[in-house]
Amino acid sequence: MKKIAITASVVALALSGCAGVNYAIQHYSGIKPVIWTSPTTGKSYRIYDKRAENRLMIALGLGESALQGIGAGATLGIADTRTPSVVYQDAALEWLATTGKKCEAKNISLVLEPQYEVRYVCAGIPA
């Protein structure tokens, strides 16, 4: 019985990863990412903005992603080195402000670690 539970957990994890990749491809394929560094935190991000749909996908820059992965690997996955979702939300809103828009986040969801989707609404732009 224990083997079945472990197998089911592994399959669920694998499928959730596939679902995240499929979602990213379906919704953000063809969008060239903006590489942006937050002046507040100094962290680099990749931003895939779908302005027509008031949503964007944000991920750590390649260097920061690698460091996060190294941190998890060095602790054999015991230490949680993931960046909290609110950090991605704040970075997304900070980036949107650099485009001259006053926006607020309506929803943030994990697409695939470390990539989050932020749905937003901006002043003067319908939701």
Side-chain angles (χ1 to χ4, degrees):
M1 190 61 127
K2 209 175 209 180
K3 285 183 182 181
I4 292 172
I6 292 170
T7 302
S9 296
V10 170
V11 169
L13 275 173
L15 290 176
S16 68
C18 289
V21 169
N22 287 338
Y23 184 87
I25 290 170
Q26 180 182 359
H27 293 283
Y28 293 96
S29 182
I31 296 178
K32 185 175 179 180
V34 173
I35 308 301
W36 174 75
T37 301
S38 165
T40 304
T41 65
K43 288 190 177 203
S44 174
Y45 294 92
R46 290 171 286 144
I47 299 172
Y48 304 78
D49 193 5
K50 285 190 89 170
R51 292 180 182 168
E53 296 178 19
N54 289 342
R55 66 168 145 180
L56 61 82
M57 185 170 64
I58 184 168
L60 287 173
L62 295 177
E64 280 85 359
S65 289
L67 287 175
Q68 182 173 302
I70 290 168
T75 63
L76 302 174
I78 295 170
D80 187 358
T81 60
R82 294 176 295 178
T83 304
S85 63
V86 69
V87 172
Y88 292 94
Q89 176 179 300
D90 291 348
L93 294 175
E94 183 180 13
W95 179 77
L96 285 165
T98 68
T99 66
K101 296 179 184 169
K102 193 169 192 106
C103 305
E104 65 180 66
K106 290 296 186 187
N107 184 23
I108 182 165
S109 55
L110 179 66
V111 175
L112 181 67
E113 189 63 44
Q115 297 174 321
Y116 287 84
E117 180 177 69
V118 177
R119 293 182 181 250
Y120 59 87
V121 62
C122 300
I125 300 172

